[in-house]
Amino acid sequence: MIIRDEQMAAFNKAALLAFEDTMVTHLAQFSPPLFKAVKEEQLRVAIRFGIERAGEYGITFQGPVRLYLELMLLFGSHFDTDPQYPWTAEILTDETPQMLRAQCLYKKTLDYRKVVGGPRDEYTLAALGRISALARQPPPVPPPDLAPAMLGEMKRVYPQKSMYVGDDGLQQLIKSGMTTAQKYGFTTPRALVLPAVLMFAFGHGCCDDPLYPWIARTLGDELITDPEGRAQRLEAKAAIWLDRVLEYFDDGATA
């Protein structure tokens, strides 16, 4: 029997779809509140993004790809370039076989979650509550003092993560956030720090993350012509999202 190229492509496509189906089920169980927010269709978009992105690092085996997708849910879809998690890029770009890199990523993630997340993610949940409050009412300081003020706020709302990441990573994040704010015409102190707050919570690529499509939709909504109105809408949606996550865990659910 001769298997033609088009037949092989069809087989590969079927296998990829089967893996995608498996990942939808797995990731829905891995992070129920996120799955509830994005729904299956959007989660599939994120899965395809992750599979392609993992492939760029030579991550192609099912186990390592599954781990890559899990890290997207934990740290954001662009975790591999996030200054908050520089260790992920170091491991991914190492020249060792992908299984060894996956093992290193897994061990490092366990260490991170133990130190930063705390027992049963208690540190993370407490921090999300404080981040939600910060998103609603950023520090009232003039623009020249925003960056150092935000650094102090990040250390206050999530001391465990801030210590793990370090000042350099946080300052890069703040700079990226304020650059994004200026790109969309934000001018008030409250609006200028909002993207940095979101990046701290959802990852530095959250403005273009398939796991958080509401951010990109709000930033790109052509019906909103006032930059400050756009920032207020984004702030409101972020507050709703964070409140729903906290409510999920307050009800006694487990991730």
Side-chain angles (χ1 to χ4, degrees), residues 20-157:
E20 182 181 306
D21 290 340
T22 300
M23 287 300 97
V24 168
T25 301
H26 172 68
L27 296 177
Q29 297 171 346
F30 185 82
S31 182
L34 186 55
F35 177 70
K36 185 178 179 180
V38 301
K39 303 295 189 295
E40 180 177 332
E41 182 178 353
Q42 189 62 31
L43 182 58
R44 287 184 181 275
V45 173
I47 290 170
R48 293 169 197 146
F49 173 88
I51 291 173
E52 182 176 352
R53 189 67 176 157
E56 294 176 7
Y57 292 107
I59 303 295
T60 56
F61 295 165
Q62 289 192 12
V65 172
R66 181 178 67 181
L67 175 62
Y68 193 97
L69 295 173
E70 291 171 351
L71 295 182
M72 287 173 53
L73 269 63
L74 288 173
F75 305 135
S77 296
H78 301 275
F79 72 87
D80 55 317
T81 57
D82 197 321
Q84 297 176 99
Y85 318 109
W87 46 273
T88 62
E90 293 173 4
I91 296 172
L92 286 168
T93 56
D94 192 87
E95 296 182 356
T96 54
Q98 63 174 297
M99 291 301 295
L100 290 178
R101 284 182 284 151
Q103 290 174 10
C104 289
L105 278 173
Y106 179 72
K107 291 178 180 178
K108 189 69 175 180
T109 301
L110 287 181
D111 175 70
Y112 177 92
R113 297 194 71 180
K114 179 180 178 180
V115 175
V116 176
R120 299 179 64 83
D121 288 323
E122 292 173 4
Y123 302 157
T124 299
L125 293 174
L128 285 178
R130 292 189 288 268
I131 290 172
S132 179
L134 179 61
R136 288 178 168 90
Q137 189 61 55
V141 295
D145 300 323
L146 278 178
M150 274 305 302
L151 181 61
E153 285 297 293
M154 287 177 173
K155 292 180 178 181
R156 179 185 67 82
V157 301

Side-chain angles (χ1 to χ4, degrees), residues 177-195:
M178 296 189 72
T179 298
T180 298
Q182 292 166 355
K183 173 183 175 182
Y184 288 99
F186 298 167
T187 56
T188 65
R190 184 166 181 162
L192 281 169
V193 301
L194 180 58

